Amino acid sequence: MAYDKFNILTSSAVPLPIENVDTDQIIPARFLKATERVGFGDNLFRDWRYNSDESPKKDFVLNDSTYSGKILVGGKNFGSGSSREHAAWAVYDYGFRAVVSSFFADIFKGNCLNIGVLPVQVSPEFADSIFKAIEENPNTELEINLPNQTITLLATGQQESFAINGYKKNNMLNGFDDIDYLQNIKEDIEVFASTRPF
């Protein structure tokens, strides 16, 4: 399933300064029955967003119109817990294109990269700077430059580099998932296959 190409993203951000956010909080298990990647955004952080009577919890950040943007800034150890792909699907379907944290669970990080959400790991100090800047001004913007692998806090000019696997970077720049990548090099595969003696 192709997704939008990721190049340079400039956006305000939604702060979630909670550590150890696990995938069951990102998308509760009762919503895992669907197999298509659509509709999960409605239930992103479902139990944190809504009361038992389905009314929105006013004190949860996604229900606060003060904050908006395509970047979610989470606390340390974001995406821990079970390996459900649906957690990344929910983040993407809600409208986030990047998640920033000082540490990601490996499987969640991989699932994000597979579907077009860029996980940007920064130092704890840089994460703190982002949270403070957003607290002072909710319209604070971040620039995430995938070609240069940098994230910049535009209000102050603070910048850090982030790591990403070269293959995944290329896929995100082109809007490819793994299948799209293979389809894109189909001719090369066929040429290679024609040279095999079997």
Side-chain angles (χ1 to χ4, degrees), residues 17-36:
I18 301 172
E19 293 189 358
N20 304 313
V21 174
D22 64 42
T23 53
D24 194 52
Q25 295 300 338
I26 296 172
I27 184 72
R30 63 187 182 277
F31 298 112
L32 304 187
K33 296 176 183 177
T35 56
E36 295 184 3

Side-chain angles (χ1 to χ4, degrees), residues 1 3 114 167-168 171 176-183:
M1 176 180 167
Y3 48 77
N114 287 338
Y167 165 70
K168 293 298 185 184
N171 276 1
F176 292 162
D177 63 13
D178 292 333
I179 294 174
D180 296 318
Y181 172 78
L182 291 174
Q183 290 177 333

